[in-house]
Each structure stands twice: as structure tokens, then as C-alpha cells.
């Protein structure tokens, strides 16, 4: 049986080579379909990876807790005591750290620059896995005393400091508050909420509360928990504790919100996954159209080669052998199209990933699946023409001109 | 089995179409062909000779009647069973040669062996042997378009012979050839017949029919008359 399979395969390749242009045009649908599906999925995966990267900049295993407006009035802010109680009472919490934010104009060297001022302590930087490129973080003494020291975001540094000269130890001013630069943040890009995380100046929490916001309120706080704990359990304890501390009765809504970075990650992943699947499905339609093109040309081929089919039947070919021959030709055509499509997709997704600045997420699974799918197209759309060929009457077929 | 005739036709009829458009091409044909015979089937067009050949070649089945080939009742076989019968016992030569273009003479000759599942080496060996029998080994690698009509028909004969069939069916094998080439082909067929192969040939040329041992004349869908023991030698040469 191998003899006839090998010979059938060889014959298919010969037929395809004989009509090279026609074969190419016929498979163009498959080529474009395969290339489109793979490119879309690869790009989608790249975008997902890029988003996940941004979210992980918020720190992993982190809740962000912020007050929201309840029935009426302004949101009730958190105090340092809330944060301390969270850290003490809830098992599994590694760090809880609050932040107070304001905005200010930074002055240095005769230049000015509008930026936001984040009042945070070291524990906050740790919870969010923020690191520095130069200098150091705040000392406990600086935090307790609320000293005028600051860590610059890279954009602030670039805007008002002399390039190439170390800013460490330099004095600058935020509005009317003087401060000494002790460190520079690493570049973090856009945050999960779209805010620029590089145009920022960080100061000890107490300093910001005293000199900028003028109160002891926290805008929000972060809770980093041990990954070995169930995030749901910790979240529930957190809700219970905060409701108790904020004297909420049963039936009253929470006047705070807890964002779980893992959940956000999951939700965004699901959203981009669904989008990718939809775009890939649309691309798959062109594969289907390509399959119809294959069927069309195979029917033409069967008609053109009616006499050949007659000869083969007369010398004793079985119906299924004739069917196999044409089916093989359709499948080989589709597989070749699939291979060209994969090569095209590789180039396209590589180029486009670079163009939209997402990682090139080459996925072997989608490549293999697309290839198998195009082969399946050959079987599905080659079946009818092949069956038609095998059902020809040898006498009529031999008479065919 | 050996004393039974190779081919027996009993009351064969063949009707094409149905209802008022029906046309009865064969109206009761009885015929016996012995192993080793060389039969020429003659008759005017529409006499039923081609229909008979199609039935004898197991390409078609009769509407009624019995066709026994080697004792098997062919009319009861399925399409694929008849294919297997053709593959095993029959070789075909057509008026229009019917070679596959784009493939070499040797590949054309090897084709029936492909469906028998022979190995590439076996196919080549048998293919070259068959080409040798028709004297075309030097043209093995040529495509049909590069061969003359007579050469093409000899390739077709080699293709029919390569499976060492019991019966060679030739439908107007000289119809597309000039007289000289025709006589060469007929001499070749006579030699093959002398070698033991049974030949059934349709022709409308008396000169070609005269190479046969038995001539069956058809008219209006029935056998009109049969000339037997027609020859031992041929008008021009043949076997010695």
C-alpha cells in the first residue's frame, strides 16, 4: 500500500507543479487565512503579555484599598490606624502601607515642572516591588520625623535636572517645600489606571500629610499578602475588619473598594483572550473561503482529467483509489498553503509585534493547529470533487474530450 | 475449468435509457470465446459491437443475460469487483491510445502495476520487459507527445501486456493509424496471440479483421454470422 501512497503523493506534487500559478492562486485563500489566524493570535498573546507586565508592576499578591462614596457625602478616608490594624489582625498580610497624594510644581535650577507628590513609606515601595536606579530609600528616622527628603521619578529628573550630573544630595523645591534628593526611581511606564508612574516625586508619608495635604488621611493603602494564603479568605477578613472599623451596619454597602491585582490580571487576560479569539475567528472565515476555492479548482481539475480517470478506472483502479488520488492532491495543496501561511505569519507577527511594541509571543500550538486545520480543509473540501471523480463511469470518461 | 470456454455470453441484452427514449443496443447476443482465440468483432456503427466490447471488458454490465468470464458471472459483480477483474485478467488498447500525457512511456506502462501494489523495482523491471516486447525500450523516457501514433499505440499495448493478462481487448486499435503502421500493430497482436494471449478486437476494416482466427459480424444488436478457423497464417507475415 505504501507504493501507491507514495506514488499518489508524487503525482499530486507533479500536478501542483504543472499548474504552479493556478495552484498558488488557489491556495492563496488558505495562505492568507492561516497567516491571519496565526498573526492575530500571536499579536493577541503579545498584547496580553504586555498588559500583564504592566499589572505586575503594581506588585503581585497585592490588594489596593481605597474609600468610595457611600449613600451620601464624600468618601470617608482611611487613617494610619486602619492600616496598622490590618497589618496586625489579618493572618497572611505581609505589609500594609498607606499613601497620601497631592500635586505640586517642582523647582530646581531655575526650571519648573508639574508633577504629583506621593507620600509613602518604604513598606509601600516594598509592597509594590518598586526599586531605585540611584540612591536609597527612606530611613525609619526620616519617616517618623517626616523629613524633607524625596525620591524622583525619572521624568522629573529629566525635566529639571542637569543631565549627566548626579541629583543625589541636590536641594529642590516642591511648591514652597524644600527637599533633598536621596534617590531616583526605576522607569515603570504607565500604571494599571493609565497614570504616569514616572512623573512623580515620592516623599515620606508624614511629610506629605504635614506639608501638602494638611491632614492625616490616606488616599488609599496597599496590602501585600503571603502567596501561600488564599486571597479570597484574606479579602473577606479585610472586608470584615474594615466594615467593623467604619461602623457599617448589616445591609449597608461597603464604602470602600478592594482591587485584587491578581483578579484584574485575570479579568484583563480573559478580555484580551476573548478579543483574540473573536479576531481569530473572523480570520478563520478566510480559511473557510480558501477551502471553497480549493473545492472549486479541484472540480475543474476532475473535469479536465476525466479521460485520465477513465484510463485509470479501465486498467483496474478501484473507486477509492481514484478518490484517494484527488483527495491527496487537495490535502497536499492545502498543506503547502498552510506551510506558506505559517512562514508568512512568522514574518508578519514578528514585524507587527515590533511595530506596536509588544513582545513577540511565538506560540507553537497555534501554528500546529492552523496547519492541521488547513489539512482538514483539504479533506473537507477535497472530498466532494474526489468522490465525483471516483464515481465517473469509465466508458463515458474514456470518451470525454 | 480448463475445458470450459474462457468467455460465454448467453442472451445478452443492453438497453440504454428508459421509457419512450429507451434504446436497445443489444437484442440477445450469444457467443463463446475459447482461450487463445483471436476474435475480430465487425459490424456497421450502431450494430452493438462497441457495447459488446464494453461488456466483455467488464466496463459495463448487460441489462439481462449472463456473461461468464472464467466461470464467474460478471453481471452479478460490483463495480469494484469488476475493477479487480480488469486489473487481474484484462488489458485494454484503445483507438485513441489513451496514454497519460506528461508521463513517460515507461511510467504509462508501469501504471497498472501501481494499482497491483508492485514495488518500484518490480514495476520498472516488468515495464521495461513489456516495452521490449513492443520494441520501444529506447523510447522509455519519452513522453507520448514525442512519439509517433504507431509508437504510442505500441506503448498502449505494452501497458496492456505488463500485467500478463488473459485477454487483450482492443477497440479499433488501428483506427488512428495509416495502413503501414496498422499492419505493424496487427502483426504485433498476432505474435502476442501466438504466444498464448486471447485477443478480442473491434474493427471495421476487413484487412485488419483478416488477422483474426474468428470474425464475429454484428448487425442490429445481434450476431449475424461467425467465421471460424479463418486463418493459420496472416496475409502479410505474422508469426513464422
Amino acid at each position: 500500500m505504501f507504493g501507491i501512497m507514495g506514488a499518489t503523493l508524487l503525482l499530486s506534487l507533479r500536478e501542483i507543479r504543472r499548474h504552479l500559478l493556478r495552484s498558488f492562486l488557489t491556495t492563496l485563500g488558505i495562505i492568507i487565512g492561516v497567516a491571519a489566524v496565526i498573526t492575530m493570535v500571536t499579536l493577541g498573546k503579545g498584547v496580553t503579555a504586555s498588559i500583564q507586565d504592566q499589572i505586575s508592576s503594581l506588585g503581585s499578591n497585592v490588594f489596593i484599598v481605597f474609600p468610595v462614596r457611600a449613600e451620601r457625602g464624600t468618601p470617608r478616608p482611611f487613617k494610619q490606624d486602619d492600616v496598622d490594624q490590618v497589618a496586625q489582625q489579618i493572618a497572611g498580610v505581609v505589609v500594609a502601607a498607606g499613601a497620601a497624594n497631592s500635586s505640586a510644581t517642582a523647582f530646581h535650577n531655575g526650571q519648573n515642572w508639574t508633577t504629583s507628590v506621593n507620600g509613602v513609606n518604604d513598606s509601600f515601595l516594598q509592597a509594590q516591588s518598586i526599586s531605585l536606579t540611584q540612591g536609597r530609600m527612606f530611613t525609619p528616622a526620616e519617616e517618623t520625623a517626616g523629613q524633607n527628603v524625596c525620591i524622583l521619578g525619572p521624568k522629573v529628573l529629566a525635566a529639571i535636572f542637569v543631565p549627566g550630573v548626579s541629583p543625589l544630595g541636590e536641594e529642590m523645591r516642591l511648591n514652597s517645600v524644600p527637599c533633598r534628593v536621596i534617590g531616583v526611581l526605576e522607569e515603570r511606564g504607565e500604571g494599571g489606571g493609565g497614570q504616569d508612574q514616572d512623573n512623580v516625586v515620592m516623599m515620606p508619608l508624614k511629610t506629605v500629610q504635614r506639608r501638602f495635604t494638611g491632614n492625616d488621611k490616606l488616599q488609599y493603602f496597599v496590602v501585600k499578602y503571603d502567596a501561600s494564603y488564599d486571597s479570597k479568605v484574606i479579602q473577606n477578613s479585610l472586608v470584615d475588619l474594615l466594615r467593623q472599623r467604619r461602623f457599617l451596619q448589616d445591609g449597608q454597602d461597603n464604602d470602600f473598594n478592594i482591587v485584587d491585582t491578581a483578579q484584574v490580571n485575570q479579568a484583563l487576560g480573559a478580555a484580551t483572550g476573548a478579543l483574540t479569539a473573536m479576531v481569530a475567528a473572523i480570520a478563520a472565515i478566510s480559511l473557510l473561503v480558501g477551502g471553497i476555492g480549493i473545492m472549486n479548482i479541484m472540480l475543474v481539475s476532475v473535469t479536465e482529467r476525466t479521460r485520465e480517470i477513465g484510463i485509470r478506472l479501465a486498467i483496474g483502479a478501484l473507486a477509492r483509489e481514484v478518490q484517494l488520488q484527488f483527495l491527496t492532491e487537495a490535502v497536499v495543496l492545502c498543506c503547502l498553503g498552510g506551510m506558506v501561511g505559517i512562514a508568512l505569519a512568522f514574518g508578519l507577527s514578528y514585524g507587527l509585534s515590533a511595530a506596536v511594541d509588544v513582545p513577540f509571543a511565538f506560540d507553537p500550538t497555534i501554528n500546529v493547529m492552523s496547519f492541521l486545520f488547513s489539512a482538514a480543509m483539504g479533506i473537507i473540501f477535497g472530498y466532494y470533487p474526489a468522490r465525483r471523480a471516483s464515481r465517473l463511469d469509465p466508458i463515458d470518461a474514456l470518451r470525454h474530450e | 475449468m480448463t475445458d470450459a470456454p474462457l468467455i460465454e455470453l448467453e442472451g445478452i441484452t443492453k438497453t440504454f435509457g428508459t421509457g419512450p427514449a429507451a434504446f436497445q443496443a443489444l437484442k440477445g447476443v450469444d457467443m463463446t470465446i475459447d482461450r487463445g482465440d483471436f476474435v475480430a468483432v465487425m459490424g456497421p456503427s450502431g450494430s452493438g459491437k462497441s457495447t459488446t466490447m464494453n461488456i466483455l471488458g467488464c466496463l459495463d454490465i448487460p441489462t439481462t443475460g449472463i456473461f461468464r468470464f472464467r466461470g464467474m458471472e460478471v453481471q452479478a459483480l460490483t463495480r469494484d469487483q469488476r475493477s479487480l477483474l480488469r486489473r487481474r485478467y484484462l488489458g485494454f488498447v484503445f483507438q485513441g491510445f489513451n496514454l497519460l500525457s506528461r508521463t513517460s512511456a515507461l511510467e504509462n506502462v508501469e501504471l497498472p502495476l501501481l494499482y497491483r501494489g508492485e514495488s518500484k523495482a518490480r514495476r520498472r523491471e516488468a515495464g521495461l520487459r513489456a516495452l521490449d516486447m513492443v520494441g520501444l525500450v529506447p523510447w522509455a523516457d519519452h513522453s507520448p507527445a514525442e512519439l509517433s501514433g504507431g509508437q504510442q499505440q505500441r506503448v498502449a499495448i505494452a501497458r496492456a501486456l505488463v500485467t500478463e493478462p488473459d485477454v487483450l481487448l482492443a477497440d479499433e486499435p488501428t483506427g488512428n493509424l495509416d495502413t503501414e503502421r496498422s499492419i505493424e500493430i496487427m502483426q504485433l497482436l498476432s505474435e502476442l496471440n501466438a504466444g498464448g494471449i486471447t485477443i478480442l478486437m473491434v474493427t471495421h476494416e476487413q484487412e485488419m479483421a483478416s488477422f483474426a482466427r474468428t470474425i464475429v459480424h454484428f448487425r442490429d444488436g445481434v450476431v449475424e454470422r461467425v467465421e471460424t478457423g479463418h486463418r493459420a497464417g496472416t496475409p502479410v507475415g505474422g508469426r513464422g
Side-chain angles (χ1 to χ4, degrees):
Chain A
M1 206 57 203
F2 177 75
I4 196 150
M5 276 304 287
T8 306
L9 200 65
L10 214 65
L11 186 74
S12 308
L13 289 171
R14 198 188 285 182
E15 277 301 322
I16 290 164
R17 198 184 51 197
R18 205 164 68 82
H19 296 292
L20 207 53
L21 181 64
R22 183 164 100 179
S23 302
F24 172 72
L25 291 175
T26 305
T27 46
L28 205 53
I30 297 283
I31 294 173
I32 292 172
V34 166
V37 169
I38 297 176
T39 306
M40 287 307 143
V41 170
T42 307
L43 276 183
K45 291 213 176 252
V47 169
T48 308
S50 147
I51 290 174
Q52 278 170 349
D53 198 43
Q54 278 181 21
I55 292 168
S56 70
S57 77
L58 295 174
S60 46
N61 308 319
V62 169
F63 291 125
I64 299 168
V65 187
F66 51 93
V68 293
R69 191 213 294 254
E71 283 96 23
R72 58 180 115 63
T74 51
R76 257 194 302 165
F78 292 106
K79 301 276 179 64
Q80 186 57 44
D81 197 30
D82 296 318
V83 178
D84 294 341
Q85 290 304 315
V86 166
Q88 280 166 29
Q89 291 191 24
I90 300 174
V93 170
V94 182
V95 174
N101 293 356
S102 179
S103 63
T105 308
F107 298 94
H108 178 74
N109 202 22
Q111 319 247 22
N112 62 72
W113 180 256
T114 306
T115 182
S116 62
V117 181
N118 291 8
V120 294
N121 289 343
D122 273 358
S123 50
F124 184 93
L125 299 177
Q126 280 159 23
Q128 298 231 310
S129 317
I130 299 169
S131 50
L132 307 182
T133 53
Q134 299 179 44
R136 59 172 176 84
M137 301 209 182
F138 306 120
T139 62
E142 284 164 347
E143 288 175 1
T144 354
Q147 288 182 6
N148 294 350
V149 287
C150 59
I151 301 173
L152 302 178
K155 281 201 177 154
V156 179
L157 177 73
I160 57 174
F161 282 80
V162 181
V165 178
S166 169
L168 300 181
E170 291 281 314
E171 291 289 334
M172 63 178 283
R173 212 152 44 77
L174 286 161
N175 291 350
S176 59
V177 181
C179 70
R180 186 164 50 86
V181 178
I182 60 163
V184 177
L185 295 168
E186 64 173 349
E187 202 174 307
R188 293 196 294 154
E190 245 177 40
Q195 77 278 19
D196 190 341
Q197 298 184 104
D198 295 328
N199 183 16
V200 73
V201 175
M202 296 202 172
M203 294 182 87
L205 176 60
K206 208 164 213 177
T207 318
V208 172
Q209 285 177 332
R210 194 185 292 158
R211 311 297 292 264
F212 292 89
T213 61
N215 56 44
D216 58 354
K217 294 168 186 171
L218 300 175
Q219 248 113 40
Y220 65 96
F221 66 95
V222 295
V223 178
K224 188 179 176 72
Y225 57 90
D226 191 321
S228 62
Y229 283 77
D230 183 354
S231 71
K232 282 277 174 288
V233 173
I234 295 185
Q235 189 168 356
N236 289 339
S237 318
L238 193 55
V239 170
D240 290 344
L241 179 65
L242 292 175
R243 284 183 69 90
Q244 193 192 323
R245 290 187 62 80
R246 292 160 84 83
F247 308 110
L248 294 177
Q249 306 296 319
D250 286 349
Q252 271 186 293
D253 289 336
N254 290 344
D255 60 356
F256 55 89
N257 212 338
I258 299 173
V259 174
D260 181 353
T261 54
Q263 272 175 13
V264 172
N265 211 339
Q266 233 169 37
L268 276 174
T272 48
L275 197 69
T276 303
M278 199 186 75
V279 174
I282 293 169
I285 291 173
S286 74
L287 248 178
L288 199 70
V289 173
I292 294 168
I294 296 278
M295 176 147 88
N296 187 26
I297 218 69
M298 287 310 296
L299 284 172
V300 169
S301 180
V302 168
T303 308
E304 278 180 355
R305 286 151 69 191
T306 300
R307 252 161 95 91
E308 175 194 326
I309 295 164
I311 295 167
R312 288 175 186 276
L313 288 170
I315 63 172
L318 298 177
R320 65 166 178 272
E321 288 165 340
V322 171
Q323 189 170 350
L324 182 73
Q325 181 192 337
F326 281 88
L327 202 55
T328 305
E329 205 172 304
V331 171
V332 166
L333 208 55
C334 285
C335 285
L336 287 176
M339 282 190 245
V340 175
I342 285 172
L344 189 64
F346 190 88
L348 267 179
S349 47
Y350 188 85
L352 285 175
S353 296
V356 300
D357 198 21
V358 297
F360 174 55
F362 178 78
D363 180 2
T365 314
I366 188 66
N367 282 273
V368 171
M369 268 175 51
S370 298
F371 182 75
L372 294 179
F373 194 71
S374 57
M377 283 286 145
I379 293 173
I380 292 165
F381 289 102
Y383 181 79
Y384 174 67
R387 191 173 172 75
R388 204 153 118 151
S390 73
R391 293 223 164 159
L392 286 174
D393 177 51
I395 300 166
D396 292 341
L398 281 169
R399 250 185 238 136
H400 190 266
E401 285 307 318
Chain B
M1 176 77 193
T2 37
D3 47 351
L6 183 65
I7 288 168
E8 288 174 278
L9 297 182
E10 282 178 32
I12 297 288
T13 71
K14 181 71 187 179
T15 307
F16 293 106
T18 50
F23 166 69
Q24 194 172 30
L26 296 181
K27 296 167 180 165
V29 173
D30 298 295
M31 196 156 75
T32 331
I33 296 167
D34 291 318
R35 206 174 280 276
D37 205 349
F38 186 163
V39 180
V41 177
M42 297 193 75
S45 58
S47 61
K49 59 183 194 301
S50 287
T51 308
T52 306
M53 277 300 270
N54 286 338
I55 290 173
L56 289 173
C58 305
L59 292 166
D60 205 354
I61 49 169
T63 310
T64 63
I66 296 169
F67 164 31
R68 276 193 211 90
F69 177 71
R70 294 172 63 100
M72 274 176 290
E73 298 212 354
V74 177
Q75 78 278 355
L77 300 180
T78 65
R79 211 183 118 121
D80 275 352
Q81 284 172 325
R82 282 186 281 123
S83 278
L84 292 171
L85 204 67
R86 291 197 293 274
R87 182 189 290 193
R88 177 70 188 82
Y89 298 112
L90 306 181
F92 287 89
V93 177
F94 306 96
Q95 177 176 2
F97 320 138
N98 277 339
L99 299 174
L100 297 184
S101 51
R102 292 120 46 196
T103 44
S104 71
L106 181 59
E107 283 173 305
N108 265 288
V109 175
E110 287 179 9
L111 190 63
L113 297 175
L114 191 63
Y115 289 109
R116 282 193 170 188
E118 303 277 10
S119 74
K120 195 171 169 59
R122 260 290 287 139
R123 293 205 301 267
R124 196 177 162 77
E125 184 202 327
L128 284 172
R129 198 175 336 116
L131 276 179
D132 187 42
M133 287 168 85
V134 299
L136 280 181
V137 171
W139 279 270
D141 292 330
H142 289 242
S143 75
E146 295 166 339
L147 302 176
S148 71
Q151 286 173 323
Q152 287 189 50
Q153 193 59 300
R154 285 201 274 164
V155 171
I157 291 171
R159 181 178 65 190
L161 291 175
V162 74
T163 58
E164 296 168 3
D166 282 13
V167 182
L168 186 77
L169 292 111
D171 191 355
E172 300 270 11
T174 60
N176 286 10
L177 301 175
D178 62 35
T179 312
E180 202 179 327
R181 295 310 139 223
S182 296
I183 286 169
E184 280 175 22
I185 293 294
M186 292 316 300
Q187 285 171 345
L188 177 60
L189 291 180
S190 299
E191 283 169 33
L192 294 169
N193 176 241
I197 191 168
T198 309
I199 296 179
L200 307 180
M201 174 183 76
V202 169
T203 184
H204 60 267
E205 292 171 87
Q206 186 60 49
E207 194 181 352
M208 303 309 149
S210 65
F211 281 82
R213 292 177 201 267
T214 307
I215 302 177
V216 181
H217 292 272
F218 271 74
R219 182 172 287 276
D220 294 331
V222 291
V223 176
E224 189 186 39
R225 75 195 149 87
V226 179
E227 298 173 49
T228 50
H230 182 266
R231 60 121 222 187
T234 60
V236 240
R239 79 181 170 105

